[in-house]
Amino acid sequence: MSLPIISVEGLSKRFIISHEGTERYTALRDVVTKKAKGLLQRQGKSTQVTKEEFWALKDVNFSINQGDRIGIVGRNGAGKSTLLKILSRITEPTQGKITIRGSMASLLEVGTGFHPELTGRENIFLNGAILGMGRAEIRKKFDEIVSFAEVERFLDTPVKRYSSGMYVRLAFAVAAHLESDILIIDEVLAVGDAQFQKKCLGKMEDVSKNEGRTLLFVSHNMGVISNLCTKGILLNKGAIELQGDIQNVVNAYISNSNHNTEFGYASDDLKTKKSNYFKKIYLQNSTEKSSSDFAFDESITINLTFVVNEPSPNLMLGIGIQDKYQNRVSTFVTNVDNFKRNGNGICSGTVTLPAGIIAPNLYSFVFVLWIKDVVEYEVLENVCNFKIHDNGSEFSVYEGYDYGSFIVYPKWKYD
Amino acid sequence: MPEELVIEAGRSEKNYWKDLWRYRELFYILSWRDIKVRYKQTVIGAAWSIIRPVLTTVIFTFVFSRVAKLDNPSLAPYALMVYAGMLPWQFFSNALTEASNSLIGNTNLISKVYFPRMIVPASSVITSLVDFAISFVIMLVLMVAYQFMPPLQILLLPFFVLMAFLAAFGTGLYITALNVKYRDFRYIIPFIVQFGLYITPVGFSSSNIPEKWRMLYALNPMVGVIDGFRWCLLGDPMYWPGFLISCLVILLFLWLGIWYFRKTEKSFADNI
């Protein structure tokens, strides 16, 4: 293998956040008044806006070889999108150097530049040109794009009359037919129905595995990432925390992605504007110590405190367990009326999951306070992540294999 | 191995202009989009680009010729003279307005895709050129109606169109780049355009300006362009020293616009 197709050295990106005013853009007025103030006050104590530096990326180094499929994971604000934006030349780095050896196309948003007034046909050409395809190239692939998007009948309808599903399909179809050595994709599959998502993933797999193209892919969906990618980069607060084999990266992301690893979840009472919300949630093992790591034959106790300012006989508390690919494994609900409310509206209680059922792996919880078909007061996803380790189940010999999320002891009958 | 691309802080790309050329398809298609979308969902469509200049011409002819009784040095009727000035002015003011708002009107593109940003204001100026072409047809119709034979220098008209184009493009580049950071310019532009209509010789001939002020007057670049239009279309006398000044001012603005645009271009996505 020759030189890496992308090499990134010491990449940093700084944003200046100014704490005065909440406007997104500067008005000339502010600049003028600030200058005037500065003149009046001279040096010394100045009432300058407090400007805070924020490093969205800090000294990031990696290199990618041709044909690699890289999954980039990290919490919101970890710098994933900034990294992709710098790589796709939309914004400039503050420091560092990137060398790219090959043509590159990036898809940071589905349907960038689609114009609602133009027809599907016209938008294919427009979007193609925006993504860097020539007219000849688009014409060559036109039929393929149309049939992939399944919009044959609506080609001459303005896209503003499209259903959102059709819109997304058309937009993705154009992007999927880009011919470039490197394809950069930001969480674009979060939209569209499940069937189409599958189709898109299939296409992406096809593109990267069979055509040997390099793929950089950002997603919060660990299942998709671990299926599609070979290597991973875990970003945390603008720095690379881990890179390497995708499975290790995904596991690392899951095991430290909860709000407070030690404690579980704690809300900021002063900030919340919700009327009913979770205050504190943590997990305890059988010896009542708070933990996030449990043995297979150990029970898990969820200790819950929540605030109900708006009681209702139909208010429900729901808890879901999700596996590391964010698939729901199990759900249990109870009526909030079962809890005693103290004077401040605070309810608390515990729920214990029996031992020996949940298969050794990584999981997280979903907590919901809601009234069916009426309102969801609060939905907490990906909190209280926990790990179940095998301490001698009959499956321990299969460690590393995916043998499911729960273990039952079925009744065999041997004839 | 395909070409190597290096991204570094503060690196101004060596092949910026080559890149601009490579993205010409995008330039065509964005212009085409703007033209196509321009008069969608309007009942009379492109007729708007005729109605506005014609009506303004009627009113200006009445006000400046009948009420103010200004001097017309031209051989052509007053209405023709006003329309010959109205053509480049409308083009300039439309193009300037469009170009100035072009970047913030394409926020989604700027923040999600890379391309040389100069394409956006350039294509919006092109759009106004289409309106100009339509209103130009009316100029020819008016000439026939007034049985006016244009002089030979009408062949030089494209040069003056180019001047108007560059005047709008240069100023537009500067303002649209400022607009990304300071949205005040959104409010300044309509004002400049309205104000400009009166300090530019649209409703009257610049020969009404006293001789000693004419050099100064020509600092308004549109003075040179409009004089040039009248010279080409109607054979009006041309004040060449003033024309030269206007040309220089246009080039200065163009240089300034490109310089500032290039300087700020890289932070557009962060600021928009």
Side-chain angles (χ1 to χ4, degrees):
Chain A
M1 183 127 301
S2 53
L3 288 164
I5 194 161
I6 300 176
S7 46
V8 173
E9 297 154 45
L11 187 71
S12 302
K13 172 79 182 175
R14 180 185 55 203
F15 287 104
I16 307 281
I17 321 167
S18 95
H19 283 298
E20 197 190 55
T22 48
E23 272 160 296
R24 192 165 160 213
Y25 51 85
T26 350
L28 194 59
R29 180 195 63 210
D30 300 339
V31 177
V32 173
T33 49
K34 242 174 271 158
K35 287 262 159 70
K37 265 188 210 165
L39 277 178
L40 288 174
Q41 278 171 335
R42 303 275 163 163
Q43 316 107 309
K45 292 172 279 175
S46 70
T47 52
Q48 281 263 314
V49 256
T50 47
K51 277 189 178 161
E52 195 187 319
E53 282 189 358
F54 168 69
W55 290 90
L57 287 176
K58 188 85 189 143
D59 195 25
V60 169
N61 298 285
F62 60 87
S63 62
I64 294 171
N65 292 319
Q66 163 132 40
D68 278 355
R69 301 192 298 279
I70 310 289
I72 300 172
V73 298
R75 299 196 56 74
N76 289 331
K80 305 184 296 285
S81 296
T82 309
L83 177 61
L84 293 197
K85 277 192 172 176
I86 294 175
L87 282 173
S88 18
R89 293 211 274 165
I90 292 163
T91 156
E92 203 190 17
T94 314
Q95 289 164 6
K97 183 179 171 184
I98 301 172
T99 314
I100 295 169
R101 300 178 182 88
S103 65
M104 183 177 58
S106 56
L107 182 62
L108 302 191
E109 179 190 58
V110 161
T112 308
F114 262 40
H115 199 288
E117 296 283 358
L118 298 178
T119 67
R121 185 191 303 277
E122 291 164 341
N123 267 311
I124 290 179
F125 282 93
L126 174 63
N127 192 235
I130 286 170
L131 295 173
M133 277 193 260
R135 260 175 304 182
E137 195 185 336
I138 303 170
R139 217 167 278 137
K140 204 176 75 196
K141 296 198 167 161
F142 189 81
D143 293 331
E144 226 180 304
I145 293 173
V146 172
S147 74
F148 187 86
E150 305 161 27
V151 291
E152 291 90 342
R153 285 171 51 218
F154 305 98
L155 261 186
D156 294 305
T157 313
V159 295
K160 65 176 175 183
R161 311 239 180 274
Y162 276 32
S163 74
S164 57
M166 281 156 65
Y167 187 93
V168 170
R169 286 208 301 271
L170 184 64
F172 187 84
V174 180
H177 290 83
L178 280 170
E179 266 182 6
S180 63
D181 304 330
I182 308 163
L183 191 59
I184 294 180
I185 299 180
D186 195 0
E187 197 112 50
V188 287
L189 296 171
V191 282
D193 55 56
Q195 200 195 344
F196 189 72
Q197 279 188 24
K198 224 175 224 168
K199 195 166 166 183
C200 296
L201 285 173
K203 178 78 191 174
M204 274 167 31
E205 239 177 296
D206 187 46
V207 160
S208 53
K209 284 183 186 162
N210 303 338
E211 297 170 26
R213 283 152 67 181
T214 311
L215 184 73
L216 265 85
F217 184 64
V218 162
S219 177
H220 282 115
N221 187 329
M222 293 303 127
V224 169
I225 286 235
S226 41
N227 272 330
L228 190 65
C229 301
T230 50
K231 288 183 183 168
I233 292 175
L234 171 59
L235 284 175
N236 188 15
K237 291 180 185 147
I240 293 188
E241 195 165 287
L242 183 70
Q243 55 179 319
D245 180 62
I246 189 67
Q247 215 50 53
N248 297 339
V249 169
V250 165
N251 289 345
Y253 170 70
I254 289 162
S255 58
N256 65 11
S257 70
N258 50 355
H259 290 253
N260 298 309
T261 352
E262 268 320 313
F263 206 47
Y265 170 84
S267 80
D268 189 344
D269 286 283
L270 298 173
K271 269 192 192 156
T272 186
K273 289 192 180 77
K274 292 167 178 145
S275 48
N276 298 340
Y277 61 94
F278 292 100
K279 198 171 158 61
K280 195 159 112 181
I281 305 166
Y282 61 95
L283 306 180
Q284 287 176 317
N285 63 16
S286 47
T287 59
E288 294 198 358
K289 273 178 77 177
S290 86
S291 170
S292 62
D293 192 343
F294 301 89
F296 173 66
D297 60 359
E298 194 174 26
S299 63
I300 300 172
T301 299
I302 308 165
N303 205 313
L304 284 160
T305 312
F306 55 98
V307 178
V308 178
N309 291 322
E310 223 173 76
S312 152
N314 298 321
L315 181 62
M316 303 292 289
L317 164 70
I319 301 176
I321 305 176
Q322 287 186 326
D323 69 10
K324 61 180 171 185
Y325 305 128
Q326 315 284 304
N327 294 320
R328 186 64 65 84
V329 174
S330 180
T331 304
F332 32 98
V333 297
T334 184
N335 196 310
V336 170
D337 263 358
N338 297 329
F339 292 87
K340 273 198 211 77
R341 262 175 90 226
N342 78 4
N344 300 324
I346 296 174
C347 304
S348 63
T350 61
V351 50
T352 301
L353 307 178
I357 291 180
I358 306 172
N361 214 328
L362 298 163
Y363 300 90
S364 67
F365 281 110
V366 178
F367 294 94
V368 193
L369 278 172
W370 91 110
I371 297 176
K372 186 170 179 284
D373 299 334
V374 180
V375 60
E376 283 179 346
Y377 288 102
E378 181 156 46
V379 180
L380 298 175
E381 281 193 73
N382 255 319
V383 290
C384 293
N385 297 29
F386 64 100
K387 181 183 179 185
I388 298 208
H389 62 258
D390 204 317
N391 61 341
S393 77
E394 59 175 303
F395 285 95
S396 49
V397 290
Y398 299 105
E399 202 174 322
Y401 291 87
D402 181 8
Y403 49 81
S405 297
F406 60 95
I407 290 176
V408 290
Y409 300 97
K411 285 203 173 77
W412 296 94
K413 218 170 158 186
Y414 307 100
D415 285 336
Chain B
M1 207 69 186
E3 64 195 275
E4 197 171 289
L5 171 75
V6 176
I7 305 172
E8 240 178 337
R11 184 192 182 96
S12 70
E13 284 134 80
K14 276 172 277 162
N15 42 11
Y16 185 83
W17 301 103
K18 217 168 77 190
D19 230 19
L20 207 58
W21 174 247
R22 209 172 40 208
Y23 275 86
R24 64 190 181 281
E25 294 255 356
L26 182 61
F27 170 68
Y28 301 146
I29 211 150
L30 282 183
S31 312
W32 165 84
R33 175 196 73 176
D34 290 344
I35 292 164
K36 184 113 191 170
V37 165
R38 184 131 202 209
Y39 293 112
K40 282 255 173 161
Q41 285 212 348
T42 57
V43 179
I44 56 172
W48 280 114
S49 55
I50 295 172
I51 290 174
R52 280 188 307 170
V54 167
L55 281 183
T56 326
T57 302
V58 169
I59 289 166
F60 272 31
T61 306
F62 177 74
V63 171
F64 288 104
S65 161
R66 296 288 147 78
V67 180
K69 299 212 188 327
L70 285 180
D71 195 27
N72 178 14
S74 177
L75 300 167
Y78 204 91
L80 265 190
M81 189 205 56
V82 172
Y83 198 81
M86 191 63 74
L87 271 178
W89 175 257
Q90 286 273 343
F91 169 59
F92 174 78
S93 62
N94 283 344
L96 182 64
T97 312
E98 297 281 332
S100 304
N101 290 319
S102 61
L103 283 178
I104 44 174
N106 285 292
T107 306
N108 58 340
L109 282 191
I110 307 279
S111 57
K112 296 289 181 195
V113 200
Y114 168 78
F115 54 87
R117 308 304 191 200
M118 217 174 267
I119 285 178
V120 173
S123 75
S124 63
V125 174
I126 292 283
T127 317
S128 315
L129 204 55
V130 173
D131 274 354
F132 171 78
I134 297 170
S135 359
F136 188 76
V137 175
I138 298 302
M139 181 78 211
L140 299 178
V141 172
L142 282 177
M143 280 179 166
V144 173
Y146 281 105
Q147 297 188 321
F148 184 87
M149 186 62 193
L152 199 62
Q153 55 264 41
I154 192 170
L155 295 174
L156 290 175
L157 193 68
F159 172 75
F160 292 95
V161 177
L162 180 72
M163 265 182 80
F165 182 94
L166 292 180
F169 184 59
T171 333
L173 273 183
Y174 197 77
I175 294 175
T176 195
L178 279 169
N179 215 348
V180 169
K181 199 152 186 202
Y182 307 110
R183 300 289 156 99
D184 303 77
F185 286 89
R186 198 165 24 179
Y187 308 106
I188 295 177
I189 285 299
F191 176 70
I192 293 180
V193 167
Q194 199 183 24
F195 196 61
L197 185 58
Y198 294 99
I199 60 164
T200 307
V202 178
F204 50 89
S205 163
S206 51
S207 62
N208 286 300
I209 305 293
E211 195 68 35
K212 54 179 174 173
W213 295 113
R214 284 197 77 170
M215 287 293 267
L216 198 66
Y217 194 49
L219 282 177
N220 171 356
M222 285 311 287
V223 171
V225 175
I226 289 177
D227 282 357
F229 260 71
R230 287 184 178 143
W231 176 68
C232 283
L233 292 171
L234 311 172
D236 283 8
M238 183 77 174
Y239 182 64
W240 292 103
F243 171 73
L244 210 65
I245 301 249
S246 293
C247 277
L248 289 177
V249 172
I250 287 174
L251 288 178
L252 177 75
F253 271 117
L254 184 65
W255 176 80
L256 205 67
I258 292 175
W259 169 78
Y260 187 73
F261 195 90
R262 289 282 318 266
K263 199 176 89 151
T264 49
E265 189 174 23
K266 294 207 167 137
S267 56
F268 283 168
D270 298 335
N271 287 326
I272 207 161

